[in-house]
Every structure is written in structure tokens, then in C-alpha cells.
Amino acid sequence: MSDQIVIHPLYAKLLEKFPESVVMDERQGFSGIVVQAITLLEVVKELRDNLGYDYLSSVTAVDDFPEERLEVIYHLFKSIGGAPVEIKVFLEREEPVVPSLTPMYPGAELQEREVWDLYGIRFDDHPDLRRILLWEGFEGFPLRKDWKEPLYEEDTKPFKSRWPEGKGERKELLNPYKDNVQYPREFDPNTLSGDVDQAMYKSLEYSDDPNSRVLQTDQMVVNIGPQHPSTHGVFRMTVVMEGETIVNLKPVVGYLHRNHEKIGERNTWLQNMPYTDRLDYLAPMSNNFGYAITVEKLMGIVPTERAEYIRVMMAELTRIASHTMTTGFLLNDLGAYFTPALYALEERELILDIFEEVAGSRMMVNYFRFGGVVRDVSPEVLKKIRHLVYNRLPRKIDELDKYISANEIVRIRCEGVGVLTADDAIAFSTTGPNLRASGVPYDVRRADPYSIYESLDFDVCTRDHGDVFDRYRVRIDEIHQSIRILKQVLDRIPEGPIMAGKPQYVAKVPAGEAYGRVEGPRGELGFYVVSDGKPNPKRYHVRAPSFINLTSLAQMCKGAKVADAVTILGAVDIVLGEVDR
Amino acid sequence: MAEIDLNNPEIDVPAELKQQIAVTTLDRIYNWSRSNSLWPMMFGLACCAIEMICTAASRYDLSRFGMEVMRPSPRQADVMIVSGTVTKKMVPQIVRLYNQMSEPKYVIAMGACASGGGPFKEGYNVVPGVDKFIPVDVYVAGCPPTPQALLHGLIILQKKIEGEHIPDTRWYKKCVVEAIPIPILGPDIIDPRHFELIKEETHKPLPVVEEVVEGGETA
Ligand code: SF4
């Protein structure tokens, strides 16, 4: 990296157009432009309408405490591929307000709510600004640096009480309630209403237009979840229905909000690796991959060649495992109770065996390190993978496909259901198979290549109808492409070391920021990290694909029947660990 | 083994009738049949739920132990497998589900998270262990526990059930068992059983230490 800041031609254009209100972010290790809040909309409009940045990937914030400043960070992409443009807005910590981008990019809706929830940044003109991961009435904005959780010990790990002294004292015993809770002073529990959903129900009424009704019937509100077998975990949707037809729908999430980001900012860089496994627990290898390449960007190290091949191999195996499982469970949602899922799980088990052999654990692999992977794959494992790839998977996937694609009920239930047009899919920031099923050939492996994907031969699978059936078809096609990639990787994998340099237990990460992304099974999985040179990240944000894919759920479900909503949700393929983080 | 001895009354059966007659106690036959037809609730919370699904699938095959009938409704279930991280936002629902289960009912805390918070213990939205709210019968260690471990946990639960004795088990007594009060979402999660404690603590005068510091600054 050179010291001289080279201004990207795009940024130069913006600087020229908005000389008053746009400046470069000139801090060492940082990039992007800083825009004033009042001109944000103009700059973004210029980017979207004239410069082709039609895809808003991520919205997040950073707290610069003890400086009196909050930053809102936007990453925009072109849906035809390429590097991001990064926009920042600096705000005061007291009463921060920024205009909402939701009217321009509907895909920002849930992300802006998340920033409001965790940072307390208000978005003007947001259609429905409520807490999302926590509940209305929660005290404080937890991701602010000066907010302390009830079991707070120190700002950074390893905590002194455990290491090096190692005289652990259980923190909750010092808490007056002997538990992981805290209450504001003068709080009286008897004055509590306990009704946290009122605002949500109100927002449902607002968005419903009485003129659009066909029949003058009573509307009914039904909650599906959080404990419901068809919601794939603890997801809840609140549905307004007229008869059986859905008029409006709100996803309610946060039932598995495990505070990845707060914990991640206390952890050291390396300690976060096992936590990423638990984000999208159906695809742990991809999560490792995303985090590893992001931090490597910041550290400026390049993994060894063998490690790159191993990484790609594992990521593609994960994709196969995850897509087969999704396909099986989609059939569950259609009412083919559990038998097709058993077929899918059978293949997944074989892939998990491989993970167990290389990483030591079936699900929580914790396999990647900065600069490589933690253990080498033995020739026996390669033989097993070769057997799977050449002899078993193609046959089994075809078998599964044959049973499903030719099934009349599946086709009637899936075709033309939950349609999302290409324009809508881009506007809603949809990613992954959902985006490609709408006919947009956008795959991070091709659009913004990382690792060795550039040298590999594979197709970006698309379909044109954007319905549930096409989402399923795209997944099956992608499994075949993954098998194709695996064949190439198996033939070319070189011998050599699996780690660049010596293994480090404390990663030294220079100050700066990085946004890295990979194409996970559910779409663009992004990590935004900021370092201030300390052993732990200052900001650790996960751009979770399935969380953002939920933004378009209401759009897809309107006009459908309740039973279809379950199928549509199944085809969106959410994993709650990632949605709620 | 003590329970098994207790349940084997020493009554001699003539040799020629051994094939036709088995003598046992009510406890034993009743517990034997119950423990071999446990119906778990189909209820997944997080990553551990995936391993629970694998346990139910063909390779590990829960149904060998008579537990394959996963019921989505709490009313029809005997055992609740808390499979995953219990968050503050979710715990009211979990307590409600537990209350809705009909007795006899059992709880298995599957994995580190459900047992004690696991890797997310210090999180502000995490309940460090489901046993803060509902009674747990068996804890299964692991993150996630392998399907074998979960099976082991279920077998331990069967053993526990086999040792039960009708006269002194809670649910066969005449007294009414109170439902567990549902936690409330306020500024933080509130257990209604702790109302008084919370009120007392939040209305305490500020600790003296801080006053000394302030005094020091002004002086
Ligand atoms: S114990 Fe581990 S695998 Fe289970 S829910 Fe917790 S983090 Fe996930």
C-alpha cells in the first residue's frame, strides 16, 4: 500500500460535482468519501441514476467514542459487477439524524432499522422506524461504545480475571440480581405495560390501503411464529389477511439476537473466527472464508496457494450441503413431510464427515486462519471428496431433482408463486440464488472475484421467472456448478504449505477499514471491519444475506395465500443465526 | 440399579408359566411404557436444532428409542428439547410453551447455550441458561452436541423416568402446581418473581464510592 492517496476517478467526479459537501476520507487506511447529511440524498441520487450504482449492499454505523462522532457507512455496487463505492456521513453523538435511503433503495429498510436499534441514529422519512433486533422499550443503544452490558468486565479480551492470572470470578455473582440483567435507576417494574408489539400492529394498519380491497370483509391479523415448524427457527411473521389472502406482512426478527457484533468487538481478531461459524450455521466454511479474506485485506497478507484451493474446496462443499438441505426443507414446507428432507440430509451427512475429518467438528469448523487454514487435508480425505464428487453427488442430485421437478404438486405450488422482478430484486438488495432466479446474473465470485475463482471455470446460474420454482432450480444448477468447480480444484490442488508465514496467535492488524465479501450459499456475505491497531476490532459488522433478503418478503407475499407465504419463506432460505446475529 | 430392584417384586412364578406370566409393579410397567414413547416437541432455537434434526434423520435415527414423533404443538409433547441459545426476547415464549405442555413434562437443555449461555453468555440479549426460568432434567454438553450426545441425553432421561415412583412424583400429587410466571420485556428482561428485588435495587441510594470521587473532584 502506498502512502500517496490515489483518488479513484469516480470519487474525483463526485468531488467535482459536489465541491462544497463531499470530501475524501483521508485517514490512513481508510477510503471512501465523506458526505454531509443534508446532501446525502443528492449524492446518492447522482450515483444511482447517472453513475450506475443501483445496488445498495450494506448500511451500518461506527461509533468513534471517545470522539463525539458517529459514522454511517454505506456500500453501493453496480449490479453489473465491480468494486464498491463507500459513502460515509459523520454525525454528532447527541441526537444523530440522517435522511433515510429507503425511498430510493427499499433494500435499506431493515438495515436502517438495525442501525437505529443498535446505535440510536434516526433516519428521517423512514417508513417504519422501530427497533428490530431488540424490543421497543429496551434501555440504551447497545453497540455504542459507552454502553455496557450487564456482565461487562473489560473493553477487550482476554479478560484479566481469566488470563494470565486465571482467577476467574463469576461476573454474575457480583450482579445484584445474580443474573445477566440491569435496570435503570428509579425503575419500578409495577409501572410496566409489557406490550412491546403495539407499534408493530400500528404500522400494519398504516400501510394498509382500504381502497385496494376487493371484498368488504374484516381483516384479520395472524402471527406465525416464533415457535412454528415452518418458520425455520425462531422467525415470526405478522400477517394481515383478508380471507386467505395476504394483504400485508411484517417480518419480526431478533428472537435469536446473540450480540455477535458487541461480543465481536470485545474479542481479539482471531477469537472471532469460531463465532463466525455460528452465524450461518448451515454454511460455516463460507462464513470463515468471508471473515478471513476481510481481515487479510487489512493485514495485507496473501494465503498460500494450497490454502486457497483448500478454502475453495470447503466453500463449495458447504454450498452443496446447504443447497441440498434447503431443497429438502422446501419440500417440507410444501407438505411432503420429512421424507424428501431425509434424502437431502443423507448427502449432507457425507459432507459433514469430511468437515469432521479435516476440522474436528461436524458443524462448528473454525477451520480458516488469517493467511491459510489450520490443518492440511490428507490424501485420504481428498480421495473421499473425489469419490463424492465423481461418483455420488451428481447421481444423487439428479435423483432428487427428478423426483421434485417432475412432480405435479410441486410445480403447481411453486410456479408463479412469490414472484420478484429483476428490478425489484435489485432495488430490495436481494442477493444470492434469490437474485439470480429473478434473472440478474450477479454472483460475487464473478462480479468481484476473490481467492482463485477467477481461474476457475463455472457458470453463473440464472433463471427468468423469479418465482419459488426458479429459486429451487437455481439452487440445483448451482450444485452442479459447484461439482464442476470441485473437479477442477481436485485436479489442480498443489502441494505446499497451508499457512502464509508463521502461525500467529495474536493477529497484528494495522489501523484501517476493510469490506470483504464472498458468495455464500445465501448470497453476498459481507464483513465490514474497522481496526484502530489494537488486538481487537473497533467495529465488526456482518452484512447478513438472509437478513437483507427478508426485506422483500412482504413484497413477494402480498396477494398470495397464507400457505404460499410458508413456501415463499422456505425458498428465500433464511438461517436465523445470521438474520438476527 | 436400586430402582430396578425395587420394581422387581420377588414373587416366584412356576417354571411352566414363565412364558405366559410376568410379574411387575405398576411403577415399572407404567414408567417403562412412558419412557419408551417420549414425544419431543419440535422446537428449534439455533445451531443446535440442526444437530437435533440430524439426530432425527436416518443416520442416527431417534425412532429406535421411540422418540421420533416430534410434535409441533406443546400440548401433545412430553419433552422439550431446548436446542439453542435462549435470548431475552424469546424466553417469554419458551416459558409459555413450557406452561402449555401437559404433565408429566421434561426438559432437556441441549448444548452449551441452553445449559449456561455458552459462547454468547456475556451478550446483552442472552439468558445464561434456560434453567434460570424453567426446571431442566438433563443437560447435554457440547457446542453443538453431536447426535450421539443428544441420544445419550435422551437415554439418561429415560433412565430418570424409569426411576420415578408414582406416590412421590410432583404431578401425581393432589396439590395444584402453579404455572411459571411469564417473563416481561421491559428495559431488560424481568422475571415477575423478582419484582420486589428489582424495586429495592433500583431505588437504593447511589453507592458511597462515587460520592467520594465527586467530593474529591470538587475539593
Ligand atoms: S451451544 Fe453452540 S451450537 Fe448450540 S446453539 Fe449454542 S452456539 Fe449454537
Side-chain angles (χ1 to χ4, degrees):
Chain A
M1 282 183 216
S2 66
D3 308 300
Q4 197 58 44
I5 296 168
V6 189
I7 297 187
H8 192 280
L10 171 87
Y11 292 145
K13 251 187 232 167
L14 288 174
L15 290 177
E16 202 178 299
K17 180 126 196 206
F18 304 98
E20 309 275 275
S21 53
V22 174
V23 288
M24 294 295 297
D25 187 353
E26 286 177 344
R27 290 170 292 174
Q28 178 76 39
F30 289 78
S31 60
I33 47 171
V34 182
V35 179
Q36 277 169 12
I38 27 168
T39 40
L40 176 71
L41 289 181
E42 275 174 55
V43 175
V44 173
K45 201 165 166 26
E46 169 77 15
L47 276 167
R48 186 188 69 167
D49 295 345
N50 299 335
L51 300 169
Y53 284 84
D54 50 356
Y55 187 84
L56 176 71
S57 168
S58 111
V59 180
T60 185
V62 177
D63 184 2
D64 286 331
F65 189 77
E67 266 179 78
E68 282 299 307
R69 187 173 69 191
L70 289 169
E71 304 171 18
V72 187
I73 319 268
Y74 302 91
H75 284 91
L76 292 135
F77 289 91
K78 290 181 184 170
S79 59
I80 52 170
V85 41
E86 189 179 352
I87 301 176
K88 300 175 186 181
V89 180
F90 289 168
L91 301 167
E92 296 284 310
R93 285 182 104 239
E94 292 285 319
E95 299 277 321
V97 188
V98 68
S100 165
L101 292 191
T102 309
M104 230 186 280
Y105 295 95
E109 184 184 344
L110 297 187
Q111 302 191 64
E112 286 183 341
R113 276 178 65 190
E114 181 191 316
V115 174
W116 157 244
D117 189 0
L118 302 179
Y119 278 97
I121 296 173
R122 192 169 277 289
F123 289 85
D124 253 353
D125 289 333
H126 189 285
D128 183 19
L129 197 64
R130 286 178 290 118
R131 288 215 178 230
I132 181 163
L133 296 178
L134 295 161
W135 58 90
E136 288 300 324
F138 185 84
E139 178 77 12
F141 300 110
L143 276 189
R144 291 202 178 191
K145 291 277 179 199
D146 51 351
W147 190 91
K148 304 264 160 47
E149 60 271 34
L151 295 187
Y152 170 80
E153 275 186 50
E154 278 169 69
D155 278 341
T156 60
K157 280 183 190 170
F159 297 143
K160 287 198 192 63
S161 65
R162 325 233 174 121
W163 190 86
E165 283 108 56
K167 296 192 286 284
E169 189 167 33
R170 297 187 66 192
K171 192 69 184 50
E172 66 262 41
L173 297 182
L174 305 179
N175 182 308
Y177 314 102
K178 307 279 178 275
D179 198 356
N180 184 8
V181 289
Q182 64 190 5
Y183 306 99
R185 286 204 56 75
E186 307 285 318
F187 166 68
D188 184 354
N190 295 315
T191 58
L192 208 70
S193 78
D195 189 0
V196 290
D197 282 341
Q198 227 165 36
M200 193 231 341
Y201 291 126
K202 220 162 151 193
S203 77
L204 276 170
E205 254 168 24
Y206 271 140
S207 39
D208 141 50
D209 175 13
N211 298 327
S212 68
R213 290 188 205 175
V214 189
L215 288 172
Q216 283 301 318
T217 53
D218 273 354
Q219 296 198 336
M220 188 166 48
V221 178
V222 174
N223 280 297
I224 307 178
Q227 199 285 112
H228 191 279
S230 72
T231 54
H232 296 224
V234 282
F235 174 74
R236 165 176 165 202
M237 38 190 180
T238 304
V239 186
V240 184
M241 298 191 308
E242 234 182 84
E244 272 279 294
T245 311
I246 295 174
V247 193
N248 201 352
L249 179 148
K250 289 265 174 204
V252 186
V253 301
Y255 293 99
L256 192 54
H257 179 46
R258 302 190 277 194
N259 331 119
H260 269 274
E261 296 183 4
K262 187 84 180 176
I263 295 177
E265 285 163 22
R266 302 241 187 274
N267 281 346
T268 62
W269 291 93
L270 196 55
Q271 275 177 336
N272 272 339
M273 191 61 86
Y275 279 86
T276 61
D277 291 335
R278 288 154 181 86
L279 281 169
D280 176 351
Y281 37 74
L282 292 181
M285 289 286 189
S286 305
N287 306 343
N288 277 194
F289 206 168
Y291 182 60
I293 65 165
T294 312
V295 179
E296 279 160 8
K297 252 188 204 175
L298 211 51
M299 293 169 76
I301 47 175
V302 182
T304 61
E305 218 189 330
R306 184 172 171 87
E308 292 276 29
Y309 276 88
I310 296 176
R311 284 177 171 196
V312 169
M313 199 158 66
M314 294 304 155
E316 296 305 322
L317 283 173
T318 305
R319 194 183 315 279
I320 298 173
S322 167
H323 280 350
T324 41
M325 185 133 173
T326 309
T327 309
F329 279 88
L330 177 68
L331 271 281
N332 240 11
D333 293 339
L334 285 170
Y337 189 69
F338 232 104
T339 309
L342 288 179
Y343 278 84
L345 283 170
E346 198 183 347
E347 302 317 302
R348 183 173 177 268
E349 284 289 338
L350 295 174
I351 294 174
L352 292 192
D353 281 350
I354 291 170
F355 290 169
E356 190 169 10
E357 204 158 337
V358 298
S361 169
R362 284 157 52 86
M363 274 172 73
M364 303 308 171
V365 291
N366 186 15
Y367 186 55
F368 288 36
R369 292 291 178 275
F370 309 132
V373 293
V374 67
R375 273 177 219 93
D376 206 348
V377 288
S378 63
E380 290 86 69
V381 173
L382 286 179
K383 224 168 103 192
K384 269 192 193 167
I385 300 176
R386 192 173 279 275
H387 170 72
L388 265 187
V389 165
Y390 280 95
N391 301 334
R392 186 169 171 115
L393 286 175
R395 184 165 50 87
K396 284 288 178 178
I397 300 300
D398 278 345
E399 189 187 63
L400 188 67
D401 190 19
K402 196 176 78 202
Y403 291 145
I404 299 172
S405 300
N407 184 308
E408 204 173 324
I409 302 174
V410 171
R411 296 194 79 122
I412 295 172
R413 289 282 317 270
C414 292
E415 279 176 339
V417 172
V419 176
L420 198 63
T421 62
D423 285 344
D424 278 352
I426 294 173
F428 277 107
S429 303
T430 315
T431 66
N434 293 314
L435 179 63
R436 292 190 284 277
S438 296
V440 184
Y442 188 82
D443 184 321
V444 181
R445 292 174 294 175
R446 278 281 182 253
D448 192 5
Y450 53 95
S451 194
I452 51 164
Y453 279 110
E454 212 155 18
S455 67
L456 293 170
D457 216 11
F458 66 97
D459 297 331
V460 176
C461 313
T462 58
R463 295 270 162 169
D464 302 322
H465 303 98
D467 55 5
V468 172
F469 192 70
D470 275 7
R471 278 171 215 139
Y472 148 72
R473 291 284 341 163
V474 164
R475 291 205 173 93
I476 294 286
D477 294 348
E478 277 184 10
I479 294 178
H480 286 299
Q481 294 303 325
S482 290
I483 293 175
R484 200 169 143 199
I485 294 176
L486 280 169
K487 284 181 179 166
Q488 298 168 42
V489 170
L490 281 170
D491 286 345
R492 291 192 216 157
I493 182 167
E495 290 296 325
I498 48 158
M499 272 293 272
K502 273 197 295 212
Q504 299 168 308
Y505 296 102
V506 182
K508 286 194 191 58
V509 182
E513 63 173 353
Y515 182 71
R517 49 186 195 144
V518 294
E519 182 73 31
R522 277 155 202 82
E524 178 189 332
L525 172 70
F527 284 86
Y528 176 71
V529 294
V530 179
S531 163
D532 48 6
K534 298 219 182 87
N536 61 316
K538 174 176 160 191
R539 177 80 179 105
Y540 163 72
H541 172 69
V542 187
R543 185 244 186 241
S546 45
F547 173 62
I548 294 162
N549 283 349
L550 276 180
T551 323
S552 57
L553 186 67
Q555 167 86 4
M556 288 191 274
C557 289
K558 275 181 197 166
K561 303 274 186 279
V562 187
D564 291 338
V566 170
T567 324
I568 295 170
L569 182 72
V572 169
D573 186 15
I574 55 169
V575 170
L576 265 299
E578 185 183 74
V579 171
D580 296 344
R581 280 152 294 148
Chain B
M1 283 294 116
E3 297 93 359
I4 292 179
D5 293 342
L6 191 83
N7 286 323
N8 275 324
E10 287 172 1
I11 296 173
D12 284 335
V13 179
E16 64 272 25
L17 287 178
K18 277 249 161 79
Q19 298 295 315
Q20 282 83 29
I21 294 178
V23 181
T24 184
T25 60
L26 180 59
D27 265 357
R28 180 137 174 77
I29 184 97
Y30 180 67
N31 289 339
W32 169 80
S33 48
R34 255 177 351 113
S35 67
N36 287 304
S37 65
L38 278 177
W39 289 9
M41 185 153 91
M42 195 158 105
F43 168 59
L45 286 176
C47 352
C48 280
I50 307 296
E51 283 298 56
M52 186 176 74
I53 294 171
C54 289
T55 316
S58 39
R59 188 190 260 186
Y60 299 99
D61 200 7
L62 205 55
S63 49
R64 290 177 292 160
F65 304 93
M67 301 162 191
E68 80 279 21
V69 198
M70 294 240 182
R71 306 314 296 181
S73 160
R75 312 259 181 215
Q76 302 166 343
D78 303 310
V79 48
M80 178 191 229
I81 303 178
V82 184
S83 53
T85 320
V86 181
T87 61
K88 290 178 184 170
K89 198 169 172 177
M90 189 62 195
V91 77
Q93 275 75 293
I94 294 176
V95 173
R96 193 167 284 145
L97 287 168
Y98 179 77
N99 286 341
Q100 285 173 352
M101 282 168 71
S102 48
E103 289 174 331
K105 53 186 171 185
Y106 304 94
V107 177
I108 293 183
M110 178 185 182
C113 284
S115 307
F120 299 99
K121 180 176 173 185
E122 72 251 44
Y124 49 84
N125 191 28
V126 175
V127 175
V130 71
D131 53 4
K132 289 260 186 303
F133 291 94
I134 58 178
V136 175
D137 294 282
V138 178
Y139 297 87
V140 183
C143 178
T146 55
Q148 295 94 322
L150 179 61
L151 282 178
H152 180 66
L154 284 161
I155 292 168
I156 297 281
L157 180 65
Q158 287 184 327
K159 289 228 174 88
K160 178 172 175 171
I161 294 173
E162 273 163 20
E164 269 174 13
H165 190 40
I166 295 178
D168 37 273
T169 310
R170 190 183 60 178
W171 26 77
Y172 301 120
K173 295 215 173 119
K174 286 266 157 53
C175 58
V176 182
V177 182
E178 292 285 329
I180 295 174
I182 312 265
I184 308 167
L185 293 172
D188 206 326
I189 191 79
I190 297 168
D191 190 336
R193 293 171 291 195
H194 298 161
F195 261 29
E196 285 312 308
L197 174 69
I198 292 169
K199 208 166 154 190
E200 194 181 304
E201 286 291 335
T202 51
H203 287 81
K204 256 190 193 161
L206 279 172
V208 196
V209 196
E210 283 182 31
E211 279 166 25
V212 171
V213 173
E214 276 168 26
E217 274 170 0
T218 45

